[in-house]
Amino acid sequence: YKGVDVLLEAWPRVLRARPTARLVIVGAGSAEAEMRGKATGPDLRASVTFTGFVSEESKIDWLRRATVLVQPSHKEGWGLSVLEANACGTPVVCSNRSSLPEVMGDAAVMVDPDDTPALAAAIGRVLGDADLRHDLARRGPPQAAKFTWEETARRTVQAYESVLRP
């Protein structure tokens, strides 16, 4: 449901515009073998890497080194990885589904995950536009800060207090 299938479908379009681009799929999941099977053909084999499971420290390192995090989820309950990317100042391209618009605000480029050409174009746009990357990187940390445990607790108390007041 994270949309890796859609990303792999869009990747050849990205490569046509940016032949030196590299895609690193970080992490593991129940669909990993299937996704590895979709990364066939000379272009994909040469430009796509699967890391499998990584430690928390390694994940943060990958986020900090990434030019863009892409998460074209078909559905998303929360979207922790996009917020982690925001906290690292990493630009984000994600789907406009489920919780992601609320979580990301204006700190991401959002696309319909069913529109493969639009996803490829959004990735290409972020890769090719340093000003856009800088803007997204600048917006990310303040957006992520809205969702710290402290801020969540403060808002929860505020909500309870507003209901309990006569």
Side-chain angles (χ1 to χ4, degrees), residues 72-124:
S73 301
H74 300 289
K75 60 183 178 178
E76 193 64 54
W78 178 239
L80 181 59
S81 60
V82 293
L83 280 173
E84 289 172 328
N86 275 169
C88 291
T90 301
V92 173
V93 171
C94 66
S95 74
N96 59 1
R97 298 261 174 96
S98 301
S99 65
L100 292 174
E102 178 183 353
V103 169
M104 296 308 295
D106 66 353
V109 174
M110 292 187 212
V111 297
D112 181 338
D114 295 326
D115 188 343
T116 305
L119 176 61
I123 296 167

Side-chain angles (χ1 to χ4, degrees), residues 4-166:
V4 175
D5 57 333
V6 176
L7 178 54
L8 289 171
E9 186 179 325
W11 194 246
R13 291 175 186 262
V14 174
L15 288 175
R16 281 196 285 280
R18 306 224 163 263
T20 60
R22 297 293 171 258
L23 173 61
V24 179
I25 299 173
V26 177
S30 60
E32 182 179 357
E34 180 185 353
M35 295 304 109
R36 285 179 184 265
K38 290 181 180 283
T40 58
D43 288 344
L44 290 179
R45 278 196 308 271
S47 67
V48 178
T49 301
F50 289 83
T51 67
F53 176 81
V54 298
S55 69
E56 187 71 15
E57 183 179 289
S58 181
K59 176 184 72 171
I60 298 302
D61 185 52
W62 277 110
L63 285 171
R64 288 181 176 144
R65 291 186 302 161
T67 304
V68 60
L69 174 104
V70 182
Q71 187 167 325
S73 301
H74 300 289
K75 60 183 178 178
E76 193 64 54
W78 178 239
L80 181 59
S81 60
V82 293
L83 280 173
E84 289 172 328
N86 275 169
C88 291
T90 301
V92 173
V93 171
C94 66
S95 74
N96 59 1
R97 298 261 174 96
S98 301
S99 65
L100 292 174
E102 178 183 353
V103 169
M104 296 308 295
D106 66 353
V109 174
M110 292 187 212
V111 297
D112 181 338
D114 295 326
D115 188 343
T116 305
L119 176 61
I123 296 167
R125 193 170 124 229
V126 173
L127 290 175
D129 186 338
D131 290 337
L132 175 59
R133 285 194 312 276
H134 177 75
D135 188 45
L136 292 170
R138 180 186 55 78
R139 292 178 191 192
Q143 183 66 20
K146 294 177 183 177
F147 296 96
T148 63
W149 283 114
E150 294 79 13
E151 182 60 17
T152 301
R154 187 190 69 72
R155 288 182 183 183
T156 301
V157 168
Q158 186 179 34
Y160 285 144
E161 287 175 343
S162 72
V163 171
L164 294 173
R165 287 189 197 125

